């Protein structure tokens, strides 16, 4: 599910170019990923909101779970986000509360649907809001947000069993690449009794790139390869962004990535 919405208005100091790309991949019959990419002009500058949701591979109706969460996020941005800004300043406490409530409501709704229909379904979520010179990120599961400037920085922290093992010093990052438990999530929307998102924030600089992706987009590629295709100098237009995301996707398919492959990139300038 892809949603793109652009509202044009006055030109402000920070500008953004963005694009997205998704592919069902070489093995699965359905694409369980859903993405959202929205731009809106406010009286205080442009806001960009991006979401990647990865419906649970192996669980039934994962595409339904991810699409429902994306729809809820779209509604939040269009109807609730304007209430979080006053005098040009975003209320970060309200934002975090709004996102926590949205994620909790969606998790409960998807869980109830699963019980009623005797289905197992769930989804990750990673969302990014850029506004007023700062970025705000929420994450549940193992989809990721990266910041690309002089090198590639991972903003989010995977909520997975393998990441927990890395944090506890049981395995190394290199060993995690082939760990048989690498796909086990500690929590996800709709399939966990309790969901607690992680939140991250920081300053936005010009000529940097934010990239959101599902796990299928980053299993078989190095940070150096990400940088070579997705640094700011390579992303001068929407066509360039979507073209380079497509190139990476085809590279991953050649390397026999079996999952759905989806990503969004946003370049500041």
């Amino acid at each position: 599910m892809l949603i793109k919405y652009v509202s044009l208005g006055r030109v402000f100091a920070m500008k953004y170019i963005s694009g997205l790309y998704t592919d069902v991949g070489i093995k699965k019959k359905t694409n369980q990923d859903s993405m959202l990419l929205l731009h809106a002009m406010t009286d205080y500058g442009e806001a960009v909101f991006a979401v990647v949701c990865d419906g649970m591979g192996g669980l039934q109706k994962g595409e339904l779970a991810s699409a429902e969460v994306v729809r809820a996020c779209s509604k939040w941005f269009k109807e609730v986000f304007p209430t979080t800004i006053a005098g040009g300043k975003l209320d970060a406490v309200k934002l975090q509360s709004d996102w926590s409530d949205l994620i909790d409501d969606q998790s409960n709704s998807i869980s109830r649907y699963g019980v009623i229909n005797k289905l197992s379904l769930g989804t990750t979520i990673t969302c990014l809001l850029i506004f007023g010179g700062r970025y705000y990120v929420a994450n549940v599961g193992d989809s990721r947000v990266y910041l690309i400037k002089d090198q590639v920085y991972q903003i989010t922290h995977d909520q997975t069993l393998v990441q927990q093992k890395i944090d506890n010093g049981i395995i190394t990052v290199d060993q995690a690449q082939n760990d048989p438990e690498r796909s086990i999530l500690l929590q996800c929307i709709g399939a966990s009794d309790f969901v607690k998102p992680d939140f991250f924030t920081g300053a936005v600089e010009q000529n940097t790139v934010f990239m959101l992706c599902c796990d299928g987009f980053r299993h078989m590629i190095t940070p150096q390869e990400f940088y070579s295709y997705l640094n700011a100098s390579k992303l001068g237009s929407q066509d360039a962004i979507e073209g380079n995301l497509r190139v990476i996707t085809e590279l991953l398919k050649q390397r026999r990535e079996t999952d759905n492959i989806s990503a969004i990139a946003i370049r500041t300038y």
Side-chain angles (χ1 to χ4, degrees):
M1 177 184 182
L2 308 180
I3 301 175
K4 297 182 74 175
Y5 168 81
V6 178
S7 176
L8 299 178
R10 291 181 291 165
V11 177
F12 292 83
M14 189 75 76
K15 301 178 184 178
Y16 308 96
I17 309 169
S18 64
L20 72 177
Y21 191 77
T22 188
D23 192 290
V24 69
I26 64 172
K27 184 178 180 180
K28 294 187 175 181
K29 294 181 179 180
T30 59
N31 192 338
Q32 296 184 316
D33 296 342
S34 294
M35 295 190 292
L36 176 72
L37 177 57
L38 302 176
H39 291 239
M41 194 62 71
T42 77
D43 290 338
Y44 310 106
E46 188 174 1
V48 184
F49 184 49
V51 181
V52 170
C53 291
D54 182 352
M56 292 300 96
L59 297 183
Q60 304 170 64
K61 299 292 184 180
E63 67 274 20
L64 174 62
S66 64
E68 285 301 313
V69 173
V70 159
R71 273 191 278 270
C73 289
S74 177
K75 182 177 181 180
W76 172 84
F77 184 69
K78 294 175 181 178
E79 298 180 6
V80 182
F81 166 67
T83 69
T84 67
I85 53 177
K89 184 177 181 180
L90 186 143
D91 186 338
V93 173
K94 184 180 188 317
L95 177 69
Q96 185 168 321
S97 177
D98 285 349
W99 282 357
S100 294
D101 290 345
L102 184 153
I103 289 168
D104 189 53
D105 289 346
Q106 287 299 301
S107 189
N108 290 335
S109 176
I110 291 168
S111 178
R112 286 194 300 270
Y113 178 88
V115 170
I116 292 170
N117 293 279
K118 296 182 172 58
L119 298 171
S120 295
L121 69 166
T123 182
T124 70
I125 183 174
T126 188
C127 58
L128 165 73
L129 174 69
I130 304 174
F131 178 76
R134 294 193 67 80
Y135 68 81
Y136 306 86
V137 171
N139 184 68
V140 174
D142 64 350
S143 296
R144 289 181 179 178
V145 180
Y146 293 90
L147 174 62
I148 303 170
K149 23 185 207 180
D150 58 317
Q151 63 184 63
V152 178
Y153 301 89
Q154 183 181 331
I155 294 176
T156 52
H157 193 71
D158 295 344
Q159 296 179 343
T160 62
L161 181 59
V162 161
Q163 184 62 57
Q164 187 178 73
K165 289 160 72 173
I166 294 171
D167 295 342
N168 291 334
I170 299 172
I171 62 173
T172 66
V173 173
D174 289 339
Q175 290 171 333
Q177 300 301 315
N178 299 308
D179 193 295
E181 297 179 315
R182 75 175 188 177
S183 297
I184 298 177
L185 300 180
L186 297 179
Q187 59 175 359
C188 71
I189 296 175
S192 298
D193 293 334
F194 177 75
V195 179
K196 182 180 180 181
D198 291 331
F199 295 98
F200 310 88
T201 186
V204 177
E205 300 177 4
Q206 289 185 322
N207 296 313
T208 59
V209 175
F210 291 90
M211 190 269 283
L212 301 81
C213 67
C214 67
D215 61 335
F217 192 79
R218 46 89 175 168
H219 278 154
M220 295 186 173
I221 193 167
T222 66
Q224 292 77 18
E225 289 174 312
F226 270 154
Y227 184 85
S228 67
Y229 287 108
L230 297 177
N231 69 81
S233 68
K234 297 293 183 67
L235 306 182
S237 67
Q238 179 179 338
D239 286 345
I241 291 174
E242 295 183 349
N244 281 15
L245 294 177
R246 185 182 302 110
V247 169
I248 293 173
T249 298
E250 292 304 315
L251 178 64
L252 294 169
K253 290 163 67 176
Q254 291 173 17
R255 294 175 179 177
R256 312 309 293 172
E257 170 59 56
T258 58
D259 205 348
N260 303 142
I261 304 170
S262 303
I264 298 171
I266 303 161
R267 185 220 162 153
T268 71
Y269 70 104

